[in-house]
């Protein structure tokens, strides 16, 4: 019996983003009219299949107040998750909020009420079967525990 491949699952495992960077970046760059930093975000991908899952593309985008404040760059090499295993990857995300968005983010963070939407997209293939997995509604709260069910980062 041949079993049809199952869609891989993934988590954004970052338990915390360096939100305090907002303030230090704001102070360092306010005279120049820009704020920005980069940070690695830990992702875990679970492959429930009996053959390897080849990851072709991973994209992450952080949105605050309807504005994109951070997005990932493309990763350069192919990445595989072995059958029945969880594979980990660190994706570099570049945060570049406007100064007004950074001030609002810091204000919300200070009140323990920072809400961001994380848009994620994963593309790859299991054998010859291509998959595109997206999640556009993941809400990331500074006060909430992240869903790290698949993560090895506990």
């Amino acid at each position: 019996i041949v079993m049809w491949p199952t869609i891989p699952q993934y988590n954004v495992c970052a338990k915390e983003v360096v939100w305090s960077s907002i303030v230090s970046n704001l102070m360092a760059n306010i005279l120049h009219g820009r704020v920005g930093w980069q940070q690695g975000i830990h992702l875990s991908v679970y492959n429930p299949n009996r053959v390897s899952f080849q990851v072709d593309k991973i994209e992450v985008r952080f949105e605050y107040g309807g504005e994109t404040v951070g997005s990932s760059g493309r990763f350069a090499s192919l990445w595989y998750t072995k059958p029945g295993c969880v594979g980990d990857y660190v994706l570099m995300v570049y945060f570049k909020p406007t100064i007004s968005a950074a001030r609002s983010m810091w204000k919300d963070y200070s009140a323990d009420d920072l809400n961001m939407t994380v848009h994620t997209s994963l593309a790859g293939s299991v054998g010859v079967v291509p998959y595109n997995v997206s999640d556009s509604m993941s809400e990331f709260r500074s006060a909430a525990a992240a869903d790290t069910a698949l993560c090895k980062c506990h």
Side-chain angles (χ1 to χ4, degrees):
I1 297 175
V2 176
M3 298 184 76
W4 191 254
T6 304
I7 297 173
Q9 302 168 7
Y10 66 98
N11 286 130
V12 176
C13 298
K15 290 186 177 180
E16 62 181 46
V17 174
V18 186
W19 301 118
S20 59
S21 297
I22 295 168
V23 172
S24 60
N25 278 284
L26 206 106
M27 297 316 215
N29 295 307
I30 198 162
L31 296 175
H32 304 289
R34 65 180 183 270
V35 179
W37 71 97
Q38 63 184 23
Q39 180 172 345
I41 300 294
H42 180 193
L43 303 168
S44 289
V45 178
Y46 169 60
N47 178 14
N49 297 291
R50 295 183 182 203
V51 296
S52 292
F53 175 63
Q54 175 183 313
V55 178
D56 297 323
K57 178 183 84 168
I58 301 174
E59 293 177 353
V60 177
R61 187 170 51 89
F62 285 79
E63 206 173 86
Y64 172 78
E67 175 184 326
T68 296
V69 294
S71 59
S72 61
R74 291 195 173 264
F75 61 96
S77 60
L78 290 177
W79 177 49
Y80 293 88
T81 300
K82 294 180 183 178
C85 293
V86 175
D88 292 319
Y89 189 78
V90 176
L91 186 64
M92 195 57 66
V93 175
Y94 302 93
F95 289 92
K96 291 180 126 183
T98 62
I99 290 177
S100 62
R103 285 181 181 150
S104 294
M105 289 166 70
W106 175 249
K107 182 180 173 185
D108 289 351
Y109 175 74
S110 297
D112 208 17
D113 193 32
L114 178 62
N115 293 293
M116 299 180 78
T117 302
V118 183
H119 300 274
T120 54
S121 177
L122 172 70
S125 57
V126 175
V128 295
V129 180
Y131 281 106
N132 288 302
V133 185
S134 323
D135 184 6
S136 301
M137 300 307 288
S138 295
E139 190 173 285
F140 187 95
R141 284 196 57 174
S142 60
D147 176 11
T148 59
L150 299 176
C151 305
K152 295 185 202 176
C153 55
H154 298 290

